[in-house]
Amino acid sequence: PDPTPAAKSDVTVAFASDTASATMGQEFESPVATITPSGKTLKYSSSDTAVATVNEDTGVVTLVAAGETVITAAFAGDDEYNAGSDSYTLTVSGEGI
């Protein structure tokens, strides 16, 4: 019989907050997720790229238009660790509103 594979450990992916706000035309400091254990690779994505795009490697957000999108940081999993993710809702306001 096949040996039972070793149980994988869970990772913890976390943003400091579940929400963020930004205004078109103003600088936005993109929240960056942390992962425990450190050193694992996160990939970022945006649920609505018409509102904001995100650099999949750095998590830096580029505002596109007013609206709401969910920014997610995900770890795909590897031989030792299960996949994990966290996200925050980004609300983008129009300029000068």
Side-chain angles (χ1 to χ4, degrees):
D2 291 330
T4 304
K8 291 185 178 185
S9 300
D10 287 331
V11 295
T12 302
V13 179
F15 283 103
S17 175
D18 292 336
T19 59
S21 299
T23 302
M24 291 299 299
Q26 295 182 7
E27 191 172 328
F28 173 64
E29 187 70 36
S30 306
V32 176
T34 58
I35 183 166
T36 306
S38 61
K40 299 295 179 186
T41 301
L42 289 169
K43 292 291 184 187
Y44 293 85
S45 61
S46 171
S47 67
D48 189 346
T49 55
V51 174
T53 59
V54 62
N55 181 302
E56 74 169 12
D57 296 318
T58 64
V60 173
V61 171
T62 301
L63 306 178
V64 178
E68 193 172 275
T69 185
V70 176
I71 304 296
T72 301
F75 171 66
D78 61 18
D79 292 343
E80 296 177 74
Y81 293 94
N82 293 312
S85 67
D86 193 27
S87 58
Y88 67 93
T89 301
L90 173 61
T91 303
V92 180
S93 304
E95 208 166 349
I97 295 175

